[in-house]
Amino acid sequence: MLEQLGINAKKAASSLASATTEEKNNALVKISKALVDNAEKIIDANKIDLENGRNAGLNQGLLDRLMLDEKRISDMADGCIQVSKLDDPCGKILETVTRPNGLVIKKVSCPIGVIGIIYEARPNVTADAAVLCLKSGNAVILRGGKEAINSNIAISEIMRDAIKDAGFDENCVQLVHDTSRDSSTELMQMKDYLDCLIPRGSKRLIKAVVEKSTVPVIETGSGNCHIYVDETADIDMAANIIFNAKTQRIGVCNACESLVIHSGIIDKALPVIKAKLDEKNVEIRGDKRAKAVCPDIKDATEEDFGTEYLDYIISVKTVDSLDEAIEHINKYSTGHSESIITEDKDNARKFMQLIDSSSVYHNASTRFTDGGEFGLGAEIGISTQKLHARGPMGLRELTTTKYLIFGDGQIR
Amino acid sequence: MLEQLGINAKKAASSLASATTEEKNNALVKISKALVDNAEKIIDANKIDLENGRNAGLNQGLLDRLMLDEKRISDMADGCIQVSKLDDPCGKILETVTRPNGLVIKKVSCPIGVIGIIYEARPNVTADAAVLCLKSGNAVILRGGKEAINSNIAISEIMRDAIKDAGFDENCVQLVHDTSRDSSTELMQMKDYLDCLIPRGSKRLIKAVVEKSTVPVIETGSGNCHIYVDETADIDMAANIIFNAKTQRIGVCNACESLVIHSGIIDKALPVIKAKLDEKNVEIRGDKRAKAVCPDIKDATEEDFGTEYLDYIISVKTVDSLDEAIEHINKYSTGHSESIITEDKDNARKFMQLIDSSSVYHNASTRFTDGGEFGLGAEIGISTQKLHARGPMGLRELTTTKYLIFGDGQIR
């Protein structure tokens, strides 16, 4: 039943492909204004979602993610303005080659076309994702969770009116109103209309999309992030970084979930790290050698090393060498972010070369893996796969390239 | 049953990730020599495949693709040397940013990791693909068609010995010996071990991989390529380019399958184009207006416009405007290669911007969409999807990137 949305999106994408930067920015400014002007309408719709959520027994965390107030709507509106100020990622000439036969081949950046976004209960994604797609010249089909459907309809209708008002086809942004599982599955199979599908949300959602989709997927993912304390680490620096990476915000994908510590430094390092983590009552689960150093920590099981806690819990693995650390991390990590704390530059270099993750740090917190912190200006997600985009994805990652070849009659 | 291959490949990939360019090139030279030295062994194995193929009633075209002689083995060996001379795509610093907090963020190119290649009856793919993967630092799991299994085993064993001899883990290159459909399906589901899957072969094979794979796929694809003859086209140039694009090699994905002609020039242009195509007895299937100009051509059905003939057949569609041409082409094309023949630069610009294909030409033959012709030095395939790689894929497209972040204790 979503086919008509696909047809509409393809048509809208075609008109967006020739839009100027000014035209696109103008639409973003209009969307921003419309969101603020219609805040009450959005809040009214959101109240219905909150009421339904309470009746359905959603927990406090989910209700909080679902909730929109003037501040959050104003943040969405500010986001539009920020994105309008970013560099247009389309139309960049990335390479020019002149071949011996006289053909001039230019590789240029251009919109991907039609992007599908499947997400869960956060209605702000509706505006954030639409705005990033619009700026990068892509039509978008949004499929949010049923918990936020009233809010999403309100936000998307306001955006569509603003887009139309800016002279664009309002189908640049479309929301799937049917929130049954069938609509989600259908979207994943719309290969004729969608060029790319980006799931945003829980591990379960992402897994389902990867397994069922025939549309190319950019997997944004979970982070079982490690910090390795090397034999020559500055212990105070290590403790500070670990404390930050574990506790500054526990529910995020770039939080540290597991420590790996060299046996040559664990006697000195672990008590200092533990003292710091105790400040926020972080539960430490260690292997035998870690327990020998700090007997009051809990036992780590094999399962712990593979767990993204998203909680005040951290695991500790003891190793005898850098190689063992690298092997352990590459086995258990989700390829998101890992850090080495060391004063040995050769070890840092080896770690950074061999760790198979999107972002590998030397002497810094894993919490920096973020579009804003990397200077991308905005972020549609963090890719933990290796094709197309890896790590924080900004506007540029929402473009593809094409070859333009200029001839004067060349034949082969 | 393929899990052990996955485990082996991951281990081999890790050792390849730290290999120097010289070490990798040395392995390629050894493979080249080994292929030539063991040509007889390969030919003997190939004879069994040919015999089996004849008994199974394979047609002449398939038997020809399957056949290996000294010349073809020598071509494979030359390919290794050529790839050894290409620039190493890994370890390039693509960007460096220093953030206000002092973090230095470098984006560097690196191997993808483990690549799976699923292909059909051409045993030369076994060597060609393995060599490109090796040079780009990737371990590869090859799954060729059952028709070529004896040839593939011979070639892969020779390569593995040479790789070992060069000091690498021979599991950098592994061949799936089981050619049942189950092994192919299992490979498509090996998400824990494979970072990327590249199908090479028929439309049916590629479709099956796209539908069944949970591993990210780079779709290499079919080409329903169009040439649009604009109102101001140089008619002789158009006829030459169309003749070349249609007939120089009919069985390839960048051959022209469909003409789109402006109604303002069709009276003059089509007879000239037809006269040229008649030289090779190309069957022309046109719409009503094309038939009005050249009554002896055949009728085109709707189905014709969506057909990749790979034969001496071409369809003709008449349009009244550039916009109509663009709409028609974007509807029927497979996103491979399209060309506009025009003397009007504005029309060329618009066509190149709005045609949604990997390679868009002005006044040149579509036959140039090829890694060698684009100057990439080698080619693993031509991507018709939009993520990761689009158009001809060389060594660079077999790499991904990672962020290396250098700090001195930064926390967030």
Side-chain angles (χ1 to χ4, degrees), chain A residues 30-49 66 68 73 76 119 123-127 130 142 144-163 173-177 179:
Chain A
K30 280 189 190 290
I31 291 173
S32 173
K33 189 167 180 307
L35 289 171
V36 173
D37 289 350
N38 293 284
E40 214 170 310
K41 201 184 282 180
I42 298 171
I43 290 171
D44 286 346
N46 187 247
K47 277 184 186 152
I48 304 173
D49 287 330
L66 187 54
L68 290 175
I73 292 168
M76 287 196 280
Y119 53 108
N124 60 313
V125 173
T126 307
L142 300 158
K146 66 174 184 302
E147 301 81 0
I149 185 66
N150 293 290
S151 315
N152 289 341
I153 289 174
I155 295 167
S156 63
E157 287 306 321
I158 291 163
M159 290 196 293
R160 284 163 58 86
D161 285 346
I163 288 166
V173 174
Q174 295 181 96
L175 177 78
V176 178
H177 288 216
T179 58

Side-chain angles (χ1 to χ4, degrees), chain A residues 80-111:
Chain A
C80 301
I81 301 295
Q82 276 166 34
V83 172
S84 79
K85 290 179 180 160
L86 295 175
D87 195 24
D88 190 333
C90 300
K92 304 237 175 273
I93 298 171
L94 306 172
E95 283 161 30
T96 303
V97 182
T98 304
R99 299 292 301 158
N101 59 9
L103 283 180
V104 176
I105 304 179
K106 289 179 194 281
K107 188 178 185 179
V108 301
S109 64
C110 62

